[in-house]
Amino acid sequence: MKKLGFGTMRLPLLDANDPKSIDIEQFKKMTDMFIERGFIYFDTAYPYHEETSEIAVREALAKRYPRESFLLADKMPISRVKSADDYPRFFNEQLAKCGVEYFDYYLLHNVGRDRYADTEKFGGFEFIRKIKEEGKAKNIGFSFHDDAETLDMILTAHPEVDFVQLQINYLDWDGAVAQSGKCYEVALKHGKKVTVMEPVKGGTLAKLPEEAMNLFNEFYMGEEVKPTPASLAIRYVASLDNVRFVLSGMSDLSQLEDNTSYMQDFEPLTDDERELINKITAVLKKTIKIPCTNCRYCTEVCPMNIAIPDYFGLLNLYAVTGQKTGMYYNRYSMNHGKASECIHCGQCEGICPQHIAIRDYLEEFAELYEG
Ligand code: SF4
Ligand code: SF4
């Protein structure tokens, strides 16, 4: 089975400022091309696109293809679960929104040290075990953005899970926060298959800064079909033995065309390509200031509707180029709170899978753009 999975967190939009305005017609074309090329794995979640991704999956996929012809993964929004009754309520809502009778893969979404106690208290693992017994979930697992020690603790307590979904990419492999490499080793130790998320780190590894891009271009000079930086990042994780699926959040047909082209007859990385990755990593580590992956979990909880990841994108750009782009800031802040309007409630930091000191960076950003 092919390893590439279609992540539906960054679908094409009709209005770039409205995450709910999914371009269904384009998504249908992307779905058709994905399936025509022999790929079958789709991944959605309750909060994606402000709770409309699951509906889009129903329209583009579940209503148009026989159920047995594709694999669908969905995730329980454990951050919103406040009692044991919420589990069946959310799950049934998700089945209805996706227009299916069962999920092939079902996960507890973003389990980490902070949420683990509540997940146990409200019977989260018990719930997914039960839906598996009932045939409503074929495989059960959880997605995870915390440290390797916590992962080891959870997998020891829950040997019943079939797989884990981890953030793995070459930049985070030795990272102190995401700990991609250590988490991968823990999953291996427990004999769990891995689904990879964020293989291009929210697009960071798809658009390399100039110095890294020069290394990339030099390496592939003279190639008949030149690969893209995203392809290098995705092939890096797909080359790991224990990886079952690699999710890519594709936003248009050209990205899908590119990803499916090299993942159709997948070639693992060569030793020379691994060496290239080491050099690119060294360059990136010098330049990336905030490790934001644009997952937008923080914007869902921010009472001031601050466009946190968009502002961080501008701050990262400033760190690399030294240039401010006021035009973008004006556009973002037109429909969102300004960075200086942060009330320091800390809710964003409680949910951020990358453990970013959001309040500090917003202050820095406000000084730069509003000061
Ligand atoms: S700390 Fe600031 S940015 Fe974070 S959720 Fe609260 S108001 Fe929003
Ligand atoms: S700041 Fe954290 S939660 Fe917000 S988009 Fe970035 S990585 Fe996601």
Side-chain angles (χ1 to χ4, degrees):
M1 204 188 298
K2 292 183 167 53
K3 280 190 174 184
L4 182 68
F6 194 149
T8 62
M9 177 200 253
R10 300 183 178 96
L11 291 172
L13 296 176
L14 294 169
D15 172 356
N17 291 316
D18 178 6
K20 289 187 175 178
S21 67
I22 296 170
D23 181 347
I24 286 287
E25 292 314 310
Q26 192 176 169
F27 182 31
K28 282 182 183 169
K29 284 185 195 147
M30 292 166 77
T31 300
D32 293 345
M33 184 187 280
F34 194 69
I35 287 181
E36 268 163 30
R37 294 184 169 195
F39 299 88
I40 57 172
Y41 191 90
F42 291 79
D43 171 271
T44 186
Y46 193 87
Y48 293 173
H49 286 279
E50 295 185 357
E51 301 175 22
T52 59
S53 164
E54 290 165 323
I55 296 167
V57 166
R58 180 184 70 211
E59 296 304 309
L61 177 69
K63 270 189 179 173
R64 301 171 62 241
Y65 285 91
R67 180 65 186 92
E68 63 284 0
S69 67
F70 60 87
L71 297 175
L72 182 59
D74 204 345
K75 312 183 192 79
M76 170 64 64
I78 57 167
S79 61
R80 302 180 191 206
V81 169
K82 304 295 173 215
S83 76
D85 294 343
D86 285 342
Y87 281 112
R89 184 172 66 76
F90 278 120
F91 184 72
N92 290 330
E93 185 187 339
Q94 289 179 297
L95 287 176
K97 280 170 88 178
C98 292
V100 294
E101 304 278 308
Y102 65 91
F103 293 111
D104 301 281
Y105 291 79
Y106 194 74
L107 305 89
L108 299 171
H109 196 174
N110 195 2
V111 180
R113 194 178 286 273
D114 295 347
R115 300 224 183 89
Y116 180 61
D118 270 355
T119 307
E120 289 290 27
K121 187 167 98 189
F122 301 133
F125 284 91
E126 208 179 301
F127 177 76
I128 56 172
R129 211 167 32 228
K130 184 166 153 279
I131 56 171
K132 185 178 174 185
E133 276 165 23
E134 293 169 353
K136 292 176 186 165
K138 306 288 180 199
N139 298 274
I140 53 172
F142 59 92
S143 62
F144 182 83
H145 290 273
D146 214 318
D147 58 55
E149 196 187 324
T150 306
L151 181 63
D152 195 24
M153 183 264 290
I154 299 175
L155 285 177
T156 304
H158 291 286
E160 74 276 16
V161 301
D162 301 302
F163 68 104
V164 284
Q165 185 160 309
L166 302 176
Q167 171 171 328
I168 303 183
N169 56 67
Y170 64 74
L171 192 59
D172 286 325
W173 186 257
D174 295 320
V177 177
Q179 302 191 351
S180 290
K182 285 185 183 162
C183 287
Y184 173 76
E185 294 300 331
V186 168
L188 199 62
K189 182 181 100 178
H190 287 270
K192 303 300 173 194
K193 284 285 178 197
V194 173
T195 298
V196 171
M197 56 187 160
E198 303 288 4
V200 290
K201 205 170 164 59
T204 303
L205 306 182
K207 289 187 197 128
L208 299 175
E210 196 181 347
E211 191 183 344
M213 203 57 213
N214 288 342
L215 290 169
F216 183 88
N217 286 335
E218 202 178 297
F219 184 88
Y220 290 111
M221 202 188 303
E223 294 264 330
E224 205 176 309
V225 184
K226 205 160 134 217
T228 56
S231 74
L232 188 67
I234 290 179
R235 285 178 53 235
Y236 173 85
V237 288
S239 299
L240 295 165
D241 285 342
N242 213 33
V243 165
R244 185 69 202 82
F245 295 108
V246 179
L247 301 179
S248 175
M250 292 173 267
S251 303
D252 57 40
L253 266 171
S254 65
Q255 281 175 11
L256 190 132
E257 215 162 356
D258 179 41
N259 281 347
T260 50
S261 66
Y262 56 81
M263 289 301 286
Q264 224 162 359
D265 299 305
F266 167 68
E267 294 279 345
L269 288 186
T270 63
D271 289 345
D272 287 346
E273 284 176 315
R274 287 183 189 282
E275 191 47 42
L276 170 67
I277 282 179
N278 290 341
K279 289 181 188 164
I280 291 175
T281 304
V283 172
L284 290 174
K285 283 192 172 159
K286 278 194 307 194
T287 52
I288 292 174
K289 185 181 172 78
I290 312 174
C292 173
T293 61
N294 198 25
C295 69
R296 309 194 84 84
Y297 295 169
C298 53
T299 57
E300 281 169 34
V301 297
C302 176
M304 304 308 289
N305 190 26
I306 296 172
I308 300 164
D310 302 315
Y311 299 166
F312 287 175
L314 297 183
L315 207 50
N316 276 340
L317 200 63
Y318 180 76
V320 177
T321 63
Q323 285 173 2
K324 287 201 271 181
T325 42
M327 186 184 79
Y328 283 103
Y329 181 53
N330 292 341
R331 208 177 77 194
Y332 293 143
S333 57
M334 204 182 293
N335 300 314
H336 296 89
K338 290 185 157 79
S340 59
E341 287 168 355
C342 171
I343 55 170
H344 291 254
C345 65
Q347 291 189 68
C348 52
E349 291 180 21
I351 203 165
C352 174
Q354 310 305 323
H355 312 284
I356 294 169
I358 294 175
R359 289 171 284 188
D360 291 350
Y361 283 123
L362 280 180
E363 265 181 30
E364 188 179 330
F365 181 85
E367 217 164 279
L368 185 70
Y369 271 86
E370 301 173 36

